Amino acid sequence: MSFKQMIGQTISKQILEQALEKDRLANTYLFYGPPGVGKFLLAWKLAQILLCEQEVNGSTACHRCSSCQKVSQLRHPDLYLIFPHPSANKPKEEQEFEERFREIKLTEPYQ
């Protein structure tokens, strides 16, 4: 599934497609909104496109390479799912999170 096949999120899809076409991706994207609007699906598809091993086109993943398969199963080593949760130790958790990511060597070109 490419961005074009997704229903809704028109503006978000357009922004991401343009960034991919121009190879001008931001270092961070924050997907927010009420439950059920497609935040997770859009982020997941972006991850699959970025981590795909094949040269398909700007906004489509091949869905056949090992990276696409791992992302589909949510087990790619460079895919991190972060969900907000209330916590009294938020500053400590954020610091631990930052330290963890400083030590990680990514396997793909988008670092």
Side-chain angles (χ1 to χ4, degrees):
M1 174 188 292
S2 69
F3 287 146
K4 291 180 186 357
Q5 295 170 312
M6 291 178 62
I7 298 171
Q9 296 287 346
T10 307
I11 295 171
S12 299
K13 290 187 304 187
Q14 184 179 24
I15 290 168
L16 293 173
E17 285 173 340
Q18 289 174 354
L20 287 164
E21 287 171 11
K22 295 177 183 178
D23 199 24
R24 306 247 330 154
L25 293 162
N27 64 350
T28 305
Y29 288 96
L30 177 63
F31 297 90
Y32 66 96
V37 297
K39 301 176 301 285
F40 178 79
L41 182 60
L42 189 61
W44 180 42
K45 287 291 136 191
L46 176 61
Q48 194 166 40
I49 290 166
L50 293 175
L51 296 170
C52 181
E53 296 169 358
Q54 307 294 320
E55 286 286 330
V56 182
N57 72 27
S59 60
T60 306
C62 76
H63 305 285
R64 291 182 300 276
C65 69
S66 64
S67 285
C68 284
Q69 295 300 313
K70 288 176 184 175
V71 171
S72 292
Q73 298 166 5
L74 301 176
R75 58 180 192 88
H76 193 285
D78 291 337
L79 179 66
Y80 295 93
L81 302 176
I82 304 164
F83 297 101
H85 61 84
S87 173
N89 294 328
K90 199 157 196 119
K92 183 180 178 185
E93 289 176 1
E94 289 173 359
Q95 182 181 11
E96 290 172 0
F97 183 77
E98 288 175 8
E99 289 173 5
R100 179 176 149 208
F101 276 92
R102 272 191 224 122
E103 299 171 5
I104 293 175
K105 182 181 183 313
L106 300 175
T107 60
E108 301 299 328
Y110 291 98
Q111 300 181 14

